[in-house]
Amino acid sequence: MSMPRPSRPLRGITAAVALLALGAAGCSDVSDAVDSAKDGAKKVARQRSVFSLAVGDCYNPNTKGEGEEILVEIVPCTEAHTGQVVADFKIEEGSSYPGDDAITAIADKRCPAEAGKFAPDTWALPKGVSIFYYTPTKESWATGDRAVTCTYNKESGNFTGSLKADADTLKPAQSTYLKGSNAVYDALWANQSEKDTVEEDLAGYKAQAKAVAAALDEHLEGLKGIEGAEVGKLREQLTKTAKEWKSAANAADADAFYIAYDPAFTGIDPNKTIAARKELGLATTVPADDAEVWAS
C-alpha cells in the first residue's frame, strides 16, 4: 500500500503578504477589498511550520498533493479544513539517513496503526479522507529531524469537525471490536509482498498469512466478550477464516497456498461484518477503497 508523502525540506521561508492598494473605488468595492484583505491577514497569522504540527491540529496545506511543504494554515476544527494531524512518532532505526524508500516503508506501516488509535472507525471518516504524512528529508535528518507526522487529508473539498470525537464516545464493546478488526486489516496490508505473484515470493505471502492469522486470533479473543447474535455469527465465520489463513501460512507450495488463500481472503471481506457493526451501533457503509478491493 502506498500513500502520498509530502516532505519537509530544510530551508527558510518568509511569509509574503500582498499589499492591497485601495484607489478611487465605490463603497462596495472598498468593502469587498477590505474583507479580502482581512481574510488574507488571518490566513497569514495562522501560518505554522510543519515542524510544529501537533496531534489534533486541524489545518489547510498550502500545496496540493505530493511535494514539499513548509508552512500550513492552522484553523479551528469547527471551521472547514482539509486535514487533521492524527499521530506522530520518531524514526529510531539507525543514525544515518535511511533513504526515501525506507522512510516511506516505515510511515506506510506505522501511520495507519497510529491513526487508528485517534479515529478507530475508518468507516465513519468523511468520504474522500485518507492518510497522508510528513516525513524528514535528507537535509532535515542531518539537523536531527526524525519525526513522522501522520494526518488524515481530504484530497478535494474539505470537512468540518474533529475526527477525534468519534474515538472519545465509543462504548467498550465498540472499542474492542474496532481494535481487533483494525489489527486484522493492518496485518494484511502492512505485510503485503512486493511481488505480484505467490510463485515469485511464497515465503513473503506465507509471512503475510501468518500475520493475519495471528491478528484474527486476537480479534476472536476480543469478540468472545461481546454479546449479540450477529457478533456471534461473525465470530463463527472468522473462526473458520482464521483456519484458512493458518493453512495458507503453512502451505507447502504455491498451489496449496492458492487453495487456502481464496477462502481466507474472502472470509475477511468487510461486507461480511456489516450486520455485526449495525448491532454494535457502528458505521455500516464500507469505504469505497475497501469495497473496490473485494469487488475485484
Side-chain angles (χ1 to χ4, degrees), residues 2-294:
S2 177
M3 287 171 281
R5 186 176 68 87
S7 60
R8 298 178 299 189
L10 177 67
R11 63 170 177 262
I13 187 169
T14 301
V17 183
L19 299 177
L20 178 63
L22 298 178
C27 291
S28 177
D29 292 335
V30 172
S31 177
D32 290 343
V34 169
D35 289 341
S36 178
K38 287 181 178 179
D39 290 341
K42 180 190 291 185
K43 182 171 183 176
V44 169
R46 288 175 167 181
Q47 296 298 302
R48 297 289 185 276
S49 166
V50 292
F51 290 96
S52 65
L53 285 171
V55 174
D57 282 348
C58 293
Y59 71 96
N60 291 311
N62 292 316
T63 60
K64 299 290 185 180
E66 291 190 40
E68 298 179 347
E69 187 88 85
I70 305 171
L71 298 176
V72 295
E73 179 193 10
I74 300 295
V75 301
C77 292
T78 52
E79 292 186 13
H81 52 278
T82 61
Q84 183 172 18
V85 179
V86 296
D88 56 25
F89 62 89
K90 292 188 181 297
I91 297 174
E92 305 292 347
E93 291 85 343
S95 57
S96 60
Y97 183 65
D100 289 347
D101 290 344
I103 286 181
T104 296
I106 292 170
D108 278 349
K109 183 174 183 177
R110 288 198 57 181
C111 273
E114 295 294 332
K117 298 173 185 177
F118 187 91
D121 193 357
T122 56
W123 291 29
L125 293 174
K127 185 177 180 180
V129 168
S130 56
I131 291 178
F132 281 69
Y133 37 81
Y134 293 103
T135 64
T137 63
K138 185 176 182 179
E139 292 80 8
S140 67
W141 185 279
T143 69
D145 178 23
R146 300 291 186 273
V148 174
T149 303
C150 310
T151 74
Y152 268 125
N153 264 56
K154 205 168 189 299
E155 293 190 61
S156 61
N158 46 48
F159 61 96
T160 303
S162 172
L163 302 177
K164 179 68 173 176
D166 290 335
D168 291 339
T169 58
L170 289 174
K171 298 176 182 177
Q174 293 173 323
S175 294
T176 298
Y177 171 85
L178 290 171
K179 180 181 179 181
S181 178
N182 289 344
V184 170
Y185 294 106
D186 286 345
L188 177 69
W189 300 123
N191 294 281
Q192 183 76 5
S193 172
E194 295 293 329
K195 302 297 183 180
D196 293 332
T197 65
V198 176
E199 288 82 358
E200 294 177 282
D201 185 19
L202 177 59
Y205 278 87
K206 288 174 64 174
Q208 179 196 43
K210 182 178 180 179
V212 174
L216 276 169
D217 283 344
E218 289 290 331
H219 188 25
L220 286 165
E221 192 64 30
L223 291 179
K224 288 181 181 178
I226 300 177
E227 297 182 355
E230 295 301 333
V231 172
K233 292 177 184 177
L234 178 63
R235 187 168 59 245
E236 291 178 8
Q237 179 236 308
L238 290 181
T239 298
K240 297 176 182 177
T241 300
K243 293 179 180 178
E244 297 293 350
W245 281 104
K246 290 171 185 174
S247 294
N250 295 311
D253 53 37
D255 287 343
F257 183 90
Y258 282 123
I259 291 172
Y261 185 81
D262 185 55
F265 189 76
T266 302
I268 58 171
D269 181 342
N271 288 286
K272 296 179 183 294
T273 70
I274 291 176
R277 278 178 156 271
K278 183 176 181 180
E279 187 173 64
L280 289 169
L282 295 168
T284 56
T285 300
V286 181
D289 288 346
D290 289 343
E292 184 178 347
V293 169
W294 268 267

